[in-house]
Amino acid sequence: MRKLNRSCIIVDSFTGDSFSPPQVPGDESTELYYGALTAPLASPNPHLLVTNGSHGYFWRARSPSWLRASPCDRTVNQIVTFKGRVFGMDSGGMLFVVHLAPRIRVQMMAVRLGEISMRHLSNIYLVACGDMLLLVGCWGLFPTRGDSFEAFRLDQSTEHAKLVKVEKLENWAIFISTDKRSQPLSFMNPERWGGRRNCVYYYRHDSEHWAAFELGKPASSRNSFVFKSSSNVVQPMWVVPSMFA
């Protein structure tokens, strides 16, 4: 999605098809902070969510107008589709569920932490990984040597959702970037392309380096960190290799 002040253009990179929603409500000083699709455009009920830092708006594909969700007056950091449901996380790390029918509604989630302390986790991301919806965070303000990533599974089998620590990702790898244009991505059997399972691949676009963290273990090997030379090229973004097969 490309953002131009209050205007949005959605472009399918593979087909070249483009869609132009109406201008987002607001004045000329309004700038869009975040945008995400709740489902592919070819699906039966896709919606585009955009936030301007204080309000959230939804546009159903090919609809003539935007809709405000209630409540959605908060800074949305992420939107993730998991098992047919739309989940999100705000800037404070609070989780919510987006109901698209019969009307658009945002429902905040009460999550029991139990003995888990999230206070010292930084750079928290919401990641759909196989049959798990994970909160992935780092024990350190800026992930570097000596820091480690932890993952917590959202368990909704009880009346009140709770977070359960995940010890291993098994045959999955997770990709995370600080560039807000890149959504976190999980991938099964990374050995097929030379990657490592049970790892979090983390890219910092401001310092132009990436690192591979084995889940729950501090990164210490020099081979775990790769630095790029500075240039004015477009920053890397995660893609699914099978899309190009």
Coordinates of all heavy atoms in Angstrom, one line a residue, residues 14 192 240-245:
F14 N 2.1 -8.4 -8.0 CA 2.2 -9.5 -8.9 C 1.4 -9.4 -10.2 O 1.8 -9.8 -11.2 CB 1.9 -10.8 -8.2 CG 2.8 -11.1 -7.0 CD1 2.4 -10.8 -5.7 CD2 4.1 -11.7 -7.2 CE1 3.3 -11.0 -4.7 CE2 4.9 -11.9 -6.2 CZ 4.6 -11.6 -4.9
R192 N 15.3 -25.4 3.8 CA 15.2 -25.6 2.3 C 15.9 -24.5 1.6 O 16.3 -24.7 0.4 CB 13.7 -25.6 1.9 CG 12.9 -26.8 2.4 CD 11.5 -26.8 1.9 NE 10.7 -25.8 2.6 CZ 9.5 -25.5 2.3 NH1 8.8 -26.1 1.4 NH2 8.8 -24.5 3.0
V240 N 7.6 -14.2 0.9 CA 7.5 -15.7 0.9 C 8.1 -16.2 -0.3 O 7.6 -16.0 -1.4 CB 6.1 -16.1 1.1 CG1 6.0 -17.6 1.1 CG2 5.4 -15.5 2.3
P241 N 9.2 -17.0 -0.2 CA 9.9 -17.5 -1.5 C 9.0 -18.3 -2.4 O 9.1 -18.2 -3.6 CB 11.0 -18.4 -0.9 CG 11.3 -17.8 0.5 CD 10.0 -17.4 1.0
S242 N 8.0 -19.0 -1.9 CA 7.2 -19.9 -2.7 C 6.3 -19.0 -3.6 O 5.8 -19.5 -4.6 CB 6.3 -20.8 -1.8 OG 5.4 -20.0 -1.0
M243 N 6.1 -17.7 -3.3 CA 5.3 -16.9 -4.2 C 6.0 -16.7 -5.5 O 5.3 -16.3 -6.5 CB 5.1 -15.5 -3.5 CG 4.3 -15.6 -2.2 SD 4.2 -14.0 -1.3 CE 3.1 -13.1 -2.4
F244 N 7.3 -16.9 -5.6 CA 8.0 -16.6 -6.8 C 8.3 -17.9 -7.6 O 9.0 -17.9 -8.6 CB 9.3 -15.9 -6.6 CG 9.1 -14.6 -5.9 CD1 9.2 -14.4 -4.6 CD2 8.9 -13.5 -6.7 CE1 9.0 -13.2 -4.0 CE2 8.6 -12.2 -6.2 CZ 8.7 -12.1 -4.8
A245 N 7.9 -19.1 -7.0 CA 8.2 -20.4 -7.6 C 7.3 -20.6 -8.8 O 6.2 -20.1 -8.9 CB 8.0 -21.5 -6.6

